[in-house]
Structures are given as structure tokens and as C-alpha cells.
Amino acid sequence: MYNLIISKLKQNQIEEAENIAIKLFNKDKNNHKINYLLGQINFKNKKYKYAERFYKKAILLNKHNERYFLSLGNLYLQLENFNKSILFFKKAILINKKFAIAINNIAYAYSKQGRYKETIKNLLLALDIEKNNHYCMYNLGNAYKEIDELDNANKYYDKALRLQPQNKHYLFNKSFVLLKKRNYKKAWQLYENRIGIKNNESKIYKIIKNKIFLNKELNDGDKLAIIPEQGIGDEIL
């Protein structure tokens, strides 16, 4: 029955999974697997207080399953309680020192706090465990970009792109690094690749493209302004 619940969750059949899990829970309220699965179900339903309660009960019943601690850490990460999320990710790693997902997630929590040195340290550890993890490579690029280590940022974006050459987010973020490195033509090619998924170009996009990148070279003293457009990600650095 556990596998059936997991299968339903993977198929996004949340209500069916919940009905089965509740029946099993009513038969045995101290089953750590059912408590954990009910935590997962409530997390997917964004019922975070219930999810927290079931995760904690699962941990109380079985303190040796790193995934229980990981899931509770993810819940606190979702709630932007970064200190608590870090605490539970660390507990997961104590159980399994090679638990790359927890190491990656603790790095993400550190990045949300602006603690980029710790972010980088943990991402390098995760990448040492999973050497072809392009998400870790991309996140390393982002972390190095935040502390203006542009060569390292570019290196890890390139590594991620070797594994995911068409990933729009990877291309887009690499464009910011190239802009800072004053490689404007290449930067705009990558930025344009990202914006190309939109149905219509904005007016300001056309102005910047035509006036700055196609018709003139920037002098050494020239600077690019940050120009917000419609939302997160729609800006030129």
C-alpha cells in the first residue's frame, strides 16, 4: 500500500493518495511511514501546519531516516524559516554524510541568507558526491556571480551548459556575467535567447538592443543601467 500511495503522489493524484493514507493511518497511527507520507501529501496541498505535524511524528517514531529530516527542512525552506531549514538539513547530513540533496538544499538556504561563502562550500561538497549534477554547477555559478567572482561564475555556468546546452535559465544568467565582463555582444546573444521565449518583445528591449548593442560600441567610461521591465528576470544589468 505504501508503494501505491507513492505512485499516486508521483502521478499527482493527491486526493486518492490521501484517502488511502488516511485509511492506513486510522489503523495504525504510530506507523512512521504513513505519518511521513501524510506529511508529503499535506505539503503538496500547501497545508504546512499539518505537514509539519506529520513530519515531526514520523521523526519521533524513526530518528534514523534522513529523508524525514530533509522533508521537514524543505518545509521550513518553503516557509522562509531558513535557520530551521538549515538545522534539519544538518540533521539529515549527520545520518548520511553523502546525502547530496540535503547538502545542495542547505547551500540554497545559505544563499537566501546572503551567506555565499557557505553556499559555495556546500555546493562544492554536493558536486564532489554527484559530479554530473548540473543544478549544483548552475547554483555555483549563481553564488560566484553574487560575490563578483566572475571567472568562477562563468566556469560553472559553462559546466552546467555542457550538460544542459538549451537551458534558458542557465543561458540567461550567464549573460549577466558576460555583461559584467564587458563581453557585450555575446552577452546579448544569450540574453536574447532567454527573452526569445516571449511572444512579444517589449519596447525597452528593442530600444536597448538597437541603440546599444547593434549600433554602437560602448566606451570604457560608459555604464549600463539596471532597467526593470515586467517582472523577475526581466531586466538588463
Side-chain angles (χ1 to χ4, degrees):
M1 294 295 282
Y2 305 127
N3 290 335
L4 179 59
I5 296 169
I6 292 167
S7 175
K8 295 291 185 184
L9 286 173
K10 287 180 178 178
Q11 296 173 51
N12 209 34
Q13 297 174 358
I14 310 299
E15 187 175 350
E16 290 181 37
E18 186 173 23
N19 289 336
I20 298 167
I22 288 172
K23 287 179 182 178
L24 291 176
F25 178 76
N26 288 333
K27 291 179 181 178
D28 184 2
K29 291 182 169 58
N30 290 321
N31 185 308
H32 64 90
K33 290 182 181 179
I34 291 300
N35 276 276
Y36 173 68
L37 288 171
L38 281 167
Q40 294 288 77
I41 290 165
N42 279 280
F43 183 84
K44 284 182 174 288
N45 284 330
K46 298 183 179 180
K47 297 178 179 178
Y48 298 126
K49 286 185 179 180
Y50 290 107
E52 180 183 30
R53 185 185 305 168
F54 283 116
Y55 285 147
K56 284 184 173 180
K57 183 67 178 293
I59 289 169
L60 184 66
L61 295 167
N62 182 355
K63 296 181 174 66
H64 306 292
N65 191 313
E66 65 268 31
R67 291 201 168 270
Y68 296 178
F69 290 97
L70 173 73
S71 294
L72 189 52
N74 286 339
L75 183 147
Y76 290 127
L77 195 62
Q78 179 69 28
L79 297 174
E80 299 187 349
N81 189 334
F82 302 121
N83 288 329
K84 270 193 173 182
S85 71
I86 289 166
L87 173 67
F88 284 96
F89 292 144
K90 284 182 175 179
K91 289 183 177 183
I93 295 164
L94 282 174
I95 298 169
N96 180 358
K97 292 181 180 179
K98 297 291 185 180
F99 198 19
I101 298 172
I103 299 170
N104 179 76
N105 288 8
I106 200 172
Y108 181 76
Y110 281 135
S111 74
K112 297 298 287 184
Q113 294 180 318
R115 297 162 64 180
Y116 296 111
K117 294 290 187 181
E118 287 126 309
T119 299
I120 290 165
K121 177 183 175 182
N122 280 277
L123 285 171
L124 289 171
L125 285 173
L127 195 57
D128 190 52
I129 297 166
E130 295 184 355
K131 300 187 185 301
N132 290 319
N133 189 320
H134 57 89
Y135 297 111
C136 286
M137 296 169 187
Y138 168 65
N139 288 330
L140 273 164
N142 288 339
Y144 279 120
K145 181 182 70 175
E146 291 293 338
I147 59 174
D148 282 329
E149 291 192 21
L150 301 182
D151 289 339
N152 279 327
N154 199 47
K155 179 176 79 172
Y156 282 102
Y157 284 141
D158 283 345
K159 286 185 174 186
L161 284 164
R162 277 195 280 275
L163 296 172
Q164 292 279 309
Q166 302 303 318
N167 189 299
K168 302 291 186 181
H169 297 285
Y170 297 3
L171 292 165
F172 174 62
N173 279 280
K174 180 178 166 66
S175 74
F176 282 93
V177 172
L178 293 177
L179 280 170
K180 286 187 174 183
K181 290 170 70 70
R182 305 182 69 80
N183 187 345
Y184 299 121
K185 289 183 179 178
K186 180 64 175 175
W188 189 254
Q189 288 173 3
L190 298 185
Y191 186 82
E192 187 176 50
N193 188 299
R194 168 70 174 88
I195 297 300
I197 65 174
K198 292 187 176 181
N199 292 328
N200 298 303
E201 296 177 323
S202 68
K203 180 180 178 182
I204 202 157
Y205 168 91
K206 291 180 180 177
I207 291 172
I208 295 169
K209 177 180 175 182
N210 294 329
K211 298 295 184 183
I212 296 180
F213 288 97
L214 297 185
N215 295 339
K216 61 175 264 189
E217 289 287 331
L218 296 182
N219 298 320
D220 288 342
D222 291 341
K223 295 183 178 179
L224 293 177
I226 296 175
I227 307 174
E229 294 186 52
Q230 298 302 316
I232 295 174
D234 293 339
E235 58 183 28
I236 304 293
L237 185 64

